[in-house]
Every structure is written in structure tokens, then in C-alpha cells.
Amino acid sequence: MIRPAPPDDLPLVRELWVAFEDEVPDEPWREDDREQDLAALEQAVRNEIVLLAEEDGEAVGLATASLRGPRAGFLDVLYVRPPARLRGHGAALVREMSARLREAGAEMLELEVLASNDSARAIYERWGMRPVELTLAAPLEELARRLEPPAGPTFGSIHVQTDDLGEVERAVQKVLPRMGRSAGTSVTGPRNGWVAVHDDLCDRDPAQLQRLAKELSYALPAVTLAIGIEEGAVVRYNLYDRGGAVDEYLSMPEHYGPLPPGDVVALGSNPTVVARLTGADARRIREIARTAASPTELPPPQELLEQIAEVMGLAEAGHGWEES
């Protein structure tokens, strides 16, 4: 049964609200404003919409809502005690709350949910609710580190495994306009079975460099490699075969921030794949394309890039288009 909570039910409402708050993970940077929120509950019971769900005469759920503007209702709290879950109490509370908000003139219901609360998000989406706004957070120390200007340049190049220079030129002319690029491009070679592609903007944007390499691999189709240095600190390559990504390497996998262990491993070179697709010696790739947590454990980035390029037979890796 769903019923409104009169002022006499304030102790019960407070009890359910505290249980609700106890299940919300603490964020260390947030102020503890529980006492203020509890004080606001009294005003909510008197002036807003507060509903209780009962089962066998016992209160097992709570919902509170308020109007935010003339057309939007906001669901501040939706809580069901754990033993009473999966019995439809949450849906019943929202159904009754929606009816009362419509009577008050609202046309839309909003709520907030933690991004990590997968089970609650799945329920809300099943009810037809969709994300309309995101709240993002980051530790200030990490934010300051990421906003620091890079210590060095970012540059790269693409290498297509073919001896047909004209075929690559035609593919580049088709692909770049789709990417919003149509000038400042150089296609050279072949040398050692590779045709090099440099673009003045893609060379300095790793995401666009990878996109162009993937598009060319699909369009030709051929093995392509995007390779370069990022922020003067790390070497990255992405290897594609007929449009599919087959290997990715980043010399310091956690250069941009901590990663799960599996992602760190995934950013290591796969010598077997590289050898099969490029003809490079797998043993040499294993020796050279190593990953590390610190730059002191690796050769300088330019030297590392040149070593990887040499073992793969690349003639112009990493040099900007205007220098090629």
C-alpha cells in the first residue's frame, strides 16, 4: 500500500532516510551535511510530496519529491528496505508520485543516480528514464597535472604496406575530405614495401592519426600502421589490417593516468602479430617495444621510435609532413 506521510510520521521518515543515506557510498571531499538534510525533511513532510510504502502494516519504502519549476518534478529520494525489494514497492512509489506530480502540473520527472549504481540505473532505464545531464568530478591534483602543457611535441605518421603509391594517393584523397581534411598532406614512397602518409593536422592529433590509418586500411584494403610520439614522452603505434585494429602499443601505458591491470597489459606490443603482418623479427620487437612505468626504464622517446621503425622497415616514421 502507498500512502502520504503526515507530519506525525516524521520519525519514521527520518529512519527510512537514514537507512537510504547509509547505502550511499561516501565521497571524501563532500561535506557531511546529514543534519541539515534531516532538518529539511520536516519541511518536506509539511510542504512537499512524501510517500510511504507499507507491507503488512510496516513501512518498507520511502519516496520524496518536489517541483523544480512549473513543469518538472524531482525525485529526491526513492528507497526500499532490502528485505522488501523485488516486490514492486519502488515502482508503486514512483507510479503514485508521478500521479501526484501530474496533478501539480508537472510534465517530467527527474532524479539523480550514481554512475556506479548499475542496478538502479538499469531499473530507471527500464522505466523509460534516460540520461540528460552528467555531473563529472576529478581530484584537483590530477586535474592540475593533466592541464599542464605537454613537456614536448606530439607528432606521428602513417605507413601503408604496399608498393602502389598511386593507389594510396587516391585513397587519401577520398578519405581525408570525409574527415574534414583536404590540404597539407604528403604521400611518399614506396620504401621497403611501405608508403608513408603525413598530414599536417592528423600528424599532431593521435586520435585523428589513428582514424586516418584505420580508414586507409579499410579503403585499400591493406595493413597500415600509425606511429609517433605523444607529448614528447611516450611512443605509440596502432596496427590495422583491412580496417580492423590488431595491435596497440604505448611505451608507458599509465602515462595519462592509472589503468586497470588488464588495460596495462593490452597496451603492450604483440610481437607475433607484428611479425606476421609487417615481416619484422618477433624477437627484436619483443626486445625493443617494451613498456614501463617510468621513462628511466626506456630509451628516450625519439630513440625508441627510431628503433621500432627500423625493425619494421619504416623509412620516415615520426617526422612531420613538412620535414619528409
Side-chain angles (χ1 to χ4, degrees):
M1 182 182 76
I2 307 299
R3 66 173 180 85
D8 291 347
D9 277 331
L10 181 59
L12 183 56
V13 170
R14 290 169 63 98
E15 176 189 336
L16 288 166
W17 185 89
V18 169
F20 163 74
E21 281 292 304
D22 286 343
E23 292 192 27
V24 177
D26 288 332
E27 298 291 358
W29 62 84
R30 295 191 185 278
E31 293 289 337
D32 183 0
D33 54 2
R34 179 171 294 203
E35 288 304 317
Q36 295 177 357
D37 290 339
L38 284 170
L41 275 177
E42 183 174 356
Q43 294 299 319
V45 169
R46 297 182 184 280
N47 303 319
E48 297 174 2
I49 307 173
V50 179
L51 301 176
L52 295 172
E54 290 186 340
E55 182 178 271
D56 298 329
E58 179 186 357
V60 296
L62 169 71
T64 71
S66 56
L67 285 173
R68 293 194 174 180
R71 300 172 60 187
F74 191 87
L75 188 65
D76 298 285
V77 174
L78 177 63
Y79 176 72
V80 177
R81 295 185 192 271
R85 290 173 186 172
L86 302 179
R87 299 179 191 170
H89 296 300
L93 282 164
V94 174
R95 185 168 54 248
E96 178 64 23
M97 185 65 74
S98 298
R100 291 173 179 264
L101 287 169
R102 284 199 305 270
E103 291 176 0
E107 300 176 12
M108 182 71 65
L109 179 65
E110 299 176 347
L111 58 80
E112 292 179 353
V113 60
L114 290 174
S116 59
N117 194 343
D118 293 332
S119 58
R121 291 177 62 187
I123 292 172
Y124 297 145
E125 290 177 5
R126 191 168 67 245
W127 290 349
M129 308 193 79
R130 297 290 180 266
V132 294
E133 184 177 351
L134 292 175
T135 298
L136 306 180
L140 288 175
E141 183 176 343
E142 179 180 346
L143 188 63
R145 179 181 64 80
R146 287 175 176 258
L147 292 175
E148 280 290 325
T154 293
F155 57 88
S157 56
I158 293 169
H159 304 266
V160 184
Q161 194 180 66
T162 181
D163 287 324
D164 193 334
L165 176 66
E167 184 181 30
V168 177
E169 289 177 330
R170 288 188 292 273
V172 168
Q173 290 170 3
K174 290 180 180 179
V175 171
L176 279 178
R178 292 206 306 267
M179 296 176 57
R181 297 285 302 115
S182 59
T185 306
S186 170
V187 181
T188 58
R191 294 178 66 182
N192 301 327
W194 295 93
V195 171
V197 179
H198 299 270
D199 179 80
D200 58 349
L201 293 185
C202 290
D203 284 6
R204 292 161 177 78
D205 183 338
Q208 290 299 308
L209 189 74
Q210 294 157 30
R211 180 183 171 191
L212 178 56
K214 182 175 181 178
E215 293 267 6
L216 290 176
S217 177
Y218 179 79
L220 287 167
V223 172
T224 64
L225 181 79
I227 187 168
I229 292 176
E230 298 177 12
E231 298 187 350
V234 291
V235 176
R236 184 195 295 272
Y237 74 66
N238 296 78
L239 187 63
Y240 302 93
D241 184 17
R242 297 176 182 269
V246 293
D247 193 29
E248 181 176 16
Y249 165 77
L250 187 65
S251 57
M252 289 191 294
E254 296 187 292
H255 172 71
Y256 294 104
L259 293 173
D263 290 352
V264 172
V265 172
L267 286 171
S269 174
N270 187 326
T272 302
V273 171
V274 173
R276 176 171 58 84
L277 294 179
T278 71
D281 183 275
R283 179 184 59 82
R284 290 288 293 145
I285 287 290
R286 187 175 292 106
E287 292 174 352
I288 294 170
R290 297 178 292 112
T291 59
S294 166
T296 60
E297 303 173 53
L298 295 169
Q302 184 65 44
E303 181 180 332
L304 177 59
L305 175 64
E306 292 171 357
Q307 290 176 357
I308 294 174
E310 180 182 6
V311 76
M312 290 188 186
L314 308 177
E316 301 175 11
H319 298 289
W321 69 276
E322 73 281 0
E323 301 170 1
S324 60

